[in-house]
Every structure is written in C-alpha cells, then in structure tokens.
Amino acid sequence: MLSLRSYRLDDLDALYAICLQTGDASNDATPLHSDHQLVGHIYAAPYGVLDPENVFVAEDEAGVAGYVVGTYDSNRFAERLEREWWPGLRARYADRSGMTEADRGRIASIMRPEKTPADIVARYPAHIHMNLLSRLRGQRVGTRLLEMWVTQARAAGVTGIHLGASASNSGGIAFWTRSGFAPLREEPGVIWFGMDL
C-alpha cells in the first residue's frame, strides 16, 4: 500500500537516507561518502527544516522511499540558507581531515553554494528536487508527487519552476522531459530545466 502525503518532522531522517541512496545521479552514493549526511544537507534536509509545507513524501509498507522538496521563491530561500542553515554546517565542516574526495566536494558546495543562473530564476522562481528509491520507480510515483507539488504551487500563484539535473542521469532527464519541463541550457555536469505554470 502506497501513501503520498505531506511531510512530517519525523520524516527528516528518511530525507537524508533517500538523498544519499540516490545521490550519485540516482544511484547509491553511500560508498562515496564517509559522512552520510552531506548530500542531504544540501539537497533535501533544509527544505524539511525551513520550508516543510512544500515537501511531500511517498511511503510504502517499508517506510518513506521518495520525496519532492522545493521552495516557491529561490532567491528568498537562498537568503534563508545563508542566515539559518549554512553557518552551522560551515563551522561543523571546517576540518575536512579524514573526508573522502566526494565529501570534500559536498563540503565545498556548503562553503560556497552554487548559484542558479539569474535569468532562469527570474522566469522560473520556484525550484524542486525529487528522489525515489528504486523500489518505487516505474510506478508513476514521481509523476504523482510532482503533480501534488505543482498543484499547490499553482494555487499559491507560482509562475514557474526550475531544476538542475545531473547530466549523467539519463533516467531523470527523460522523466523531467516527459513531465513538461523544457531543457534551458547545459553547463558542466548539469542540465537546467524550466516549466511555466
């Protein structure tokens, strides 16, 4: 039995776990990281903590196995991250000794977050991240989670959504293209997509 529902505070550990298990272009990034929270610190957990009303999860009999997270105002969310999220993590990861190369790459993103191109944010102010464990793929779960997020965003007056997909994630690129997102540009390692609402 599958349930798609709003996020609860006790789902935070699941956001971290799913983000790690899909963090290598939808493949398991666990072997790459000695710190298993790093990927989630960037792509999942801050939404559950700072913008929980814009998080939906998919839960089956084995637990939460998928999510969509995002924010309606990317610029405002980036400002909140600078005030409320990154400072504690920057202090925590000031010492990078004993870290893997992948860990150090994630820490670099925490120290100096990558910025979405301003013209993309101007037209598509909202953004999302979505990940599903393999046991939920191919069952339209991603489509249904996306529909929930888009419906709520439209009702809130959001005019457009963007996302960045790993250039090596062919399954994800195919999903976003099928789901109404148009490729906007390709940069090293990432393809930017946008959808007008």
Side-chain angles (χ1 to χ4, degrees), residues 61-136:
E61 61 281 353
V64 174
Y67 63 75
V68 59
V69 302
T71 187
Y72 297 160
D73 187 329
S74 297
N75 288 332
R76 185 173 298 163
F77 191 72
E79 292 168 2
R80 285 195 71 190
L81 290 171
E82 282 298 329
R83 288 193 314 269
E84 303 173 44
W85 189 253
W86 300 134
L89 292 172
R90 288 169 180 157
R92 176 175 169 181
Y93 293 109
D95 178 7
R96 303 179 200 185
S97 57
M99 296 288 186
T100 67
E101 182 180 346
D103 289 337
R104 289 192 295 273
R106 301 298 184 181
I107 292 168
S109 293
I110 289 169
M111 299 300 178
R112 189 182 296 248
E114 297 172 5
K115 295 188 187 298
T116 304
D119 61 316
I120 291 177
V121 176
R123 179 169 174 181
Y124 308 98
H127 74 264
I128 58 173
H129 301 281
M130 183 166 60
N131 285 300
L132 304 176
L133 296 183
S134 58
R135 70 178 190 257
L136 294 188

Side-chain angles (χ1 to χ4, degrees), residues 3-8 10-11 55-59 64 148:
S3 168
L4 304 184
R5 60 170 175 80
S6 296
Y7 173 82
R8 299 189 305 244
D10 63 351
D11 295 323
V55 179
F56 296 99
V57 300
E59 184 175 25
V64 174
M148 292 172 72

